[in-house]
Each structure stands twice: as structure tokens, then as C-alpha cells.
Amino acid sequence: MQIVKKSASEVPAYVTSIITDQLNQKKNSILGLATGSTPLAIYKYWIEEFKQGNLDFSQAISFNLDEYVNLPASDPRSYNYYMKENLFQHINIDQNNTHIPNGQAESLQEECARYDQRIQEFGGIDLQILGIGLNGHIGFNEPSNELLLNTHVTPLSESTRIANSRFFDHIDQVPTQAITMGIGSIFKAKKIILIAMGVEKSEIVKQAFLGNITTQVPASLLQLHHNVEIVVDTDCGKLIT
Ligand code: F6R
């Protein structure tokens, strides 16, 4: 595991250079993508680089980490909508090559099994982008005595619902469940980049990457992955010397 500290303004360019190398090496790379506040500046940078002709997504394939259950793709708070709005509609990725779990599938169990199967059919994720929750979650793998390997339906913890209520009018509107890739699905990625920004993430980042490995801090398991880079901005990395 490698921890890289950058100033907040350097992070997007730094992460973009990794994605550019990845796509230059393999045009049809399988990218694992995240939503939330953290990737926004990075996706903006990708869009700029695409417009400059420095990034080409024409053959790229993407799989998102997660989606709320029971929020239609047309809902601006769904991750489906987020991805279109903040990335897909601005770049040359083929929409047929983008994948987001369907939180409205008739059988959510079947949808979960299908999702992992599709990732494997494409040969597995080459580069996975992750954020980290204030409680140490990755995807929506919430702190628990045991973590599930495969893509699954999960209840959202109270702290996650509170954190995500900033995108809703009221906490009661925040879905109570999501579909998320499991820890095993994430671990199969050939390379993982976890990005954490801001002072409010500094404590959990310290616990996750300098502390013991525990399912109560799901991100701490990443210490065991063979190719993981943690990118933090200066504020977030202030407890890491
Ligand atoms: C989003 C996801 C979550 C977020 C995490 C951090 O697809 O899987 O694990 O990465 O909740 O969210 P932000 O970046 O909003 O702090």
C-alpha cells in the first residue's frame, strides 16, 4: 500500500494521470467508478482532458460501485443520474459500456449476481476508484462484524444516511437500502486508488490505513490488497506523517 499526499488542487491532475496511463496501456480498460463529492473534481478534470484530446474513453468499460434501491435512474439523486450528469454525457464513453447496479430490478438478488458475473465476463476491473465514508465504508460496505464478498443489497447505516442527507430535502427521503459491490468484488480489481479529501476524513483515514485491520472499518481491509494507492490531500493527510 502506498499513501500519496498532494495539495487539494493537485489531486485531480494526479489521479487523471493514472487513468490516462491506464487507458493508454489498454484502451478497453475496465474502470470501477464511484460517486459522491470526492470524485467530482476528478471527473471534471477527465472531461477537460477529454476535450483537449488527451483522454479517450471510446473503448473503455465502466462499472459503478453502487446504487440506491428504489430510486429511479431519472431521479437526480440516483447514482445513475449522477454519472450521466457529471461524466458520461461529457465524454466519448459508449453508454452501452457503462454499468450501474439496477436498484429497481424486479429481483434484486438476481441483479446482484448478474452484476458480478458481468464484471467477470469482461475480465475483471483493471482500475478501481474509491472514496471512503466517514465511518470507513467503501462502496456501501458498512462497518459490521462480517463483510460480504459479492455484490449484494445492504441496509444503509444511520451515519451514512445522515451524511448523504445533504443531497436530499429531508433525511426521511434518503433510501434505506442500496446495492453495492462486495469486498470481494472490489478486491478482485487489479489496481485500486482510494481518494480522501478534507480534514473531516483525516481521522478515519488514519484509522483505516495506519490502524489495525478490522471489519468495523471496512477500508482497513485494503491494507491487504496487492496494488492499492491512497491519495489524500494535505488536510486529510495531516494525521499521517
Ligand atoms: C459512492 C461510494 C461511497 C463514497 C463515500 C464517500 O459511490 O461508494 O463509498 O465514496 O460515501 O463519499 P463522499 O465522496 O461524498 O465523501
Side-chain angles (χ1 to χ4, degrees):
M1 187 185 69
Q2 196 194 353
I3 301 184
V4 175
K5 256 197 236 181
K6 299 269 168 196
S7 72
S9 61
E10 285 169 344
V11 168
Y14 178 71
V15 175
T16 303
S17 70
I18 300 173
I19 205 92
T20 307
D21 287 350
Q22 175 66 42
L23 284 169
N24 282 343
Q25 273 167 36
K26 185 183 171 200
K27 277 180 139 327
N28 59 347
S29 287
I30 321 295
L31 306 175
L33 301 180
T35 58
S37 303
T38 310
L40 283 174
I42 292 160
Y43 293 156
K44 259 202 179 123
Y45 211 93
W46 292 7
I47 294 166
E48 280 316 308
E49 288 294 286
F50 162 70
K51 285 184 180 156
Q52 306 281 326
N54 300 329
L55 257 179
D56 174 19
F57 294 90
S58 58
Q59 292 181 48
I61 293 135
S62 72
F63 282 89
N64 265 76
L65 278 167
D66 40 23
E67 177 59 289
Y68 290 120
V69 165
N70 267 337
L71 216 52
S74 58
D75 188 309
R77 289 136 336 163
S78 73
Y79 290 167
N80 219 296
Y81 193 97
Y82 169 108
M83 289 310 297
K84 285 203 179 94
E85 190 73 10
N86 294 304
L87 185 64
F88 295 154
Q89 69 179 10
H90 306 287
I91 59 174
N92 65 341
I93 197 163
D94 180 342
Q95 297 288 324
N96 295 322
N97 285 339
T98 66
H99 304 86
I100 301 179
N102 177 4
Q104 290 206 298
E106 210 163 289
S107 161
L108 293 174
Q109 311 309 327
E110 279 174 26
E111 171 65 10
C112 292
R114 229 184 351 246
Y115 203 68
D116 280 327
Q117 200 186 329
R118 296 228 62 199
I119 296 174
Q120 287 324 303
E121 279 166 12
F122 277 103
I125 290 172
D126 292 304
L127 178 59
Q128 175 69 55
I129 303 286
L130 292 179
I132 179 172
L134 288 169
N135 62 2
H137 72 210
I138 47 176
F140 278 131
N141 294 279
E142 300 279 30
S144 170
N145 287 337
E146 56 180 21
L147 296 172
L148 300 186
L149 279 176
N150 298 327
T151 297
H152 58 279
V153 178
T154 179
L156 296 179
S157 72
E158 205 44 30
S159 90
T160 294
R161 292 187 66 238
I162 292 169
N164 289 9
S165 65
R166 67 192 193 277
F167 301 112
F168 295 79
D169 293 334
H170 193 271
I171 183 148
D172 291 347
Q173 294 176 358
V174 184
T176 53
Q177 287 186 309
I179 293 183
T180 182
M181 277 167 57
I183 292 290
S185 327
I186 294 171
F187 253 68
K188 284 184 194 144
K190 296 175 186 96
K191 182 176 174 70
I192 298 177
I193 316 269
L194 181 142
I195 304 145
M197 312 274 290
V199 69
E200 66 280 7
K201 295 271 173 81
S202 57
E203 187 54 48
I204 194 66
V205 162
K206 181 180 163 205
Q207 269 183 52
F209 305 116
L210 299 187
N212 291 330
I213 296 167
T214 163
T215 57
Q216 297 299 337
V217 182
S220 68
L221 272 85
L222 293 174
Q223 293 184 44
L224 298 171
H225 191 273
H226 64 284
N227 190 359
V228 60
E229 200 173 314
I230 313 299
V231 181
V232 295
D233 71 354
T234 328
D235 282 349
C236 180
K238 74 183 176 80
L239 300 177
I240 297 171
T241 46

